[in-house]
C-alpha cells in the first residue's frame, strides 16, 4: 500500500519541480520549440479547469479536490490491496489531483506548459499533474474492463 502513496508523492514532486522550473526560466506566454509544428514548452497560467473552463472558481476547486482526494484514499485503502493496477491508477489520480491543488492553494492558478499541435489542432496546454490524472483515469477504465471480463469468465464456469 505504501508504494502507491510513494508513487503519488513522486508524481507530486515531479509536477511541482517542472512547474517551478517553468516559472523560474520562462516568462508567461514564452514558447520554446521542442519539435517544430508538434511540441512546444509554453509558459501558461490557468485559473480554471481543463480547457480553461470555470475560470476563477477556486473555492469550487478546493472543495472538489478535497472530496476527490478523500474518495481516492478511501477507495485505495479498501480495494487497491488486492488489485495492483487499480492501486497504480489511483496513485496517478491522487498525485495529479494534489499537484494541481498545490498550485491553486499557493499560486491561485495552475502552471501549464506542455503544448502540442496534433493534426493541426492546438491541444490545450497542460502539465504533469494533468497528465497523471488522464493516465490514472485511462488505467481505471482498463482495470474495469479487465475485472468485468474476469467476472464474466468466472460466472460462465
Amino acid at each position: 500500500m505504501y508504494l502507491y502513496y510513494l508513487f503519488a508523492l513522486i508524481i507530486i514532486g515531479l509536477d511541482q519541480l517542472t512547474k517551478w522550473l517553468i516559472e523560474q526560466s520562462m516568462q508567461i506566454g514564452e514558447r520554446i520549440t521542442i519539435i517544430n509544428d508538434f511540441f512546444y514548452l509554453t509558459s501558461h497560467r490557468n485559473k480554471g479547469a481543463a480547457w480553461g473552463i470555470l475560470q476563477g472558481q477556486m473555492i469550487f476547486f478546493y472543495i472538489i479536490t478535497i472530496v476527490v482526494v478523500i474518495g481516492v484514499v478511501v477507495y485505495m485503502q479498501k480495494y487497491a490491496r488486492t488489485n495492483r493496477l487499480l492501486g497504480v491508477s489511483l496513485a496517478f489520480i491522487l498525485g495529479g489531483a494534489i499537484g494541481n491543488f498545490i498550485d491553486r492553494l499557493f499560486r491561485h492558478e495552475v502552471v501549464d506548459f506542455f503544448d502540442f499541435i496534433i493534426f493541426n489542432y492546438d491541444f490545450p496546454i497542460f502539465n504533469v499533474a494533468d497528465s497523471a490524472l488522464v493516465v490514472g483515469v485511462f488505467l481505471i477504465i482498463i482495470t474495469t474492463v479487465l475485472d468485468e471480463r474476469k467476472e464474466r469468465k468466472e460466472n460462465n464456469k
Side-chain angles (χ1 to χ4, degrees), residues 1-77:
M1 279 305 294
Y2 294 112
L3 286 178
Y4 302 137
Y5 293 110
L6 178 61
F7 187 60
L9 192 60
I10 290 168
I11 291 168
I12 294 164
L14 181 61
D15 176 64
Q16 291 301 303
L17 175 64
T18 55
K19 289 172 178 175
W20 179 81
L21 289 170
I22 293 298
E23 282 184 315
Q24 296 303 307
S25 61
M26 297 176 71
Q27 298 293 318
I28 294 175
E30 184 178 348
R31 179 185 242 192
I32 298 171
T33 302
I34 305 299
I35 301 172
N36 196 37
D37 295 326
F38 177 68
F39 178 40
Y40 303 88
L41 291 180
T42 303
S43 180
H44 178 74
R45 303 300 181 275
N46 183 357
K47 293 182 189 251
W51 296 281
I53 62 172
L54 300 172
Q55 288 292 318
Q57 302 295 316
M58 286 299 156
I59 299 296
F60 172 76
F61 290 117
Y62 296 152
I63 294 167
I64 290 297
T65 304
I66 290 167
V67 168
V68 166
V69 167
I70 290 169
V72 166
V73 169
V74 167
Y75 207 78
M76 193 180 286
Q77 289 298 120

Side-chain angles (χ1 to χ4, degrees), residues 11-152:
I11 291 168
I12 294 164
L14 181 61
D15 176 64
Q16 291 301 303
L17 175 64
T18 55
K19 289 172 178 175
W20 179 81
L21 289 170
I22 293 298
E23 282 184 315
Q24 296 303 307
S25 61
M26 297 176 71
Q27 298 293 318
I28 294 175
E30 184 178 348
R31 179 185 242 192
I32 298 171
T33 302
I34 305 299
I35 301 172
N36 196 37
D37 295 326
F38 177 68
F39 178 40
Y40 303 88
L41 291 180
T42 303
S43 180
H44 178 74
R45 303 300 181 275
N46 183 357
K47 293 182 189 251
W51 296 281
I53 62 172
L54 300 172
Q55 288 292 318
Q57 302 295 316
M58 286 299 156
I59 299 296
F60 172 76
F61 290 117
Y62 296 152
I63 294 167
I64 290 297
T65 304
I66 290 167
V67 168
V68 166
V69 167
I70 290 169
V72 166
V73 169
V74 167
Y75 207 78
M76 193 180 286
Q77 289 298 120
K78 190 170 184 179
Y79 298 107
R81 293 178 191 276
T82 58
N83 187 327
R84 286 186 185 158
L85 185 55
L86 179 62
V88 170
S89 306
L90 293 171
F92 269 107
I93 292 170
L94 185 63
I98 293 173
N100 280 339
F101 183 74
I102 290 169
D103 278 22
R104 289 188 175 103
L105 193 60
F106 295 107
R107 295 180 176 103
H108 305 288
E109 61 190 4
V110 175
V111 177
D112 293 325
F113 52 90
F114 290 132
D115 187 2
F116 285 90
I117 298 174
I118 302 172
F119 301 114
N120 293 322
Y121 174 69
D122 193 359
F123 199 79
I125 302 169
F126 59 98
N127 58 47
V128 171
D130 298 331
S131 300
L133 287 164
V134 169
V135 168
V137 169
F138 182 71
L139 290 174
I140 282 181
I141 291 168
I142 291 172
T143 301
T144 303
V145 169
L146 292 174
D147 286 349
E148 286 177 3
R149 284 184 180 176
K150 182 179 174 184
E151 190 175 309
R152 264 190 258 131

